[in-house]
Amino acid sequence: MANSERTFITIKPDGVQRGLVGDIIKRFEQKGFRLVAMKLVQASEEHLKQHSIDLKDRPFFPGLVKDMNSGPIVAMVWEGLNVVKTGRVMLGETNPADSKPGTIRGDFCIQVGRSIIHGNDSVKSAEKEISLWFQPEELVEYKSCCYDWIYE
Ligand code: DAT
Ligand code: MG
């Protein structure tokens, strides 16, 4: 059960445009997490406002929605033990300037408004966002052939 924790990860328009989709997916694959769902989507402003509703009172909210709406994004669901917490560590800090080398933001970007990737900070928000972006039948069940080589 713990091994089937899920998180919603999005490569933002800046990450897609800069050709970083492959590099980012590779990190989650290499780590051992299982890809559950993935799609390239031009999200509507309305959908993006809903997605970031918790930040609606922040001064950067309109800019955030505009940036996320500025091109296609890659929406994904990844699964594994502690994937929410570990996913955040892999992303780095909100501000790329504070993100350590070796993290995605630490390695690939410079400014907070061009932070290339989104990932959940709690299991609860992961459940909420997965259901906002994916239909249940889009979440694909299969066992990774590496499962027993990744988990003890
Ligand atoms: P995170 O993406 O690390 O979870 P968040 O949820 O607080 O950070 O904010 C969502 C996005 O909003 C973030 O990736 C970039 C933007 N953002 C956050 N803080 C900001 C700030 N102080 N100025 C400009 N944009 C900001
Ligand atoms: Mg956040």
Side-chain angles (χ1 to χ4, degrees):
M1 197 57 197
N3 296 359
S4 59
E5 183 175 299
R6 289 176 175 179
T7 192
F8 177 70
I9 299 285
T10 308
I11 305 172
K12 298 181 186 182
D14 47 349
V16 174
Q17 292 293 339
R18 290 182 54 205
L20 297 173
V21 172
D23 284 302
I24 291 170
I25 290 174
K26 190 177 176 67
R27 292 186 180 215
F28 284 85
E29 284 184 320
Q30 282 181 155
K31 180 73 177 165
F33 292 134
R34 183 177 79 85
L35 182 61
V36 174
M38 177 165 69
K39 58 186 169 191
L40 178 74
V41 49
Q42 173 62 58
S44 71
E45 217 180 287
E46 213 37 58
H47 196 84
L48 291 166
K49 280 183 183 161
Q50 195 57 38
H51 168 75
S52 296
I53 193 83
D54 294 347
L55 300 170
K56 71 176 186 331
D57 297 328
R58 306 295 290 274
F60 57 81
F61 179 76
L64 173 63
V65 172
K66 188 166 165 269
D67 288 343
M68 288 289 280
N69 184 241
S70 66
I73 62 174
V74 174
M76 300 177 281
V77 177
W78 288 91
E79 180 183 88
L81 182 64
N82 293 324
V83 70
V84 170
K85 186 163 176 254
T86 303
R88 290 289 290 194
V89 174
M90 290 167 67
L91 260 59
E93 302 299 321
T94 301
N95 186 347
D98 299 328
S99 300
K100 293 202 169 56
T103 65
I104 292 166
R105 287 170 175 165
D107 287 349
F108 295 127
C109 57
I110 295 171
Q111 286 194 296
V112 70
R114 298 287 185 272
S115 63
I116 70 168
I117 187 163
H118 161 78
N120 294 127
D121 55 11
S122 72
V123 172
K124 201 164 161 240
S125 66
E127 284 167 359
K128 198 171 128 202
E129 291 183 13
I130 289 167
S131 65
L132 181 66
W133 289 90
F134 289 98
Q135 299 298 317
E137 64 272 17
E138 292 178 295
L139 305 172
V140 182
E141 294 294 346
Y142 61 98
K143 187 177 176 183
S144 160
C145 65
C146 297
Y147 185 90
D148 294 324
W149 298 102
I150 292 167
Y151 294 103
E152 0 172 342

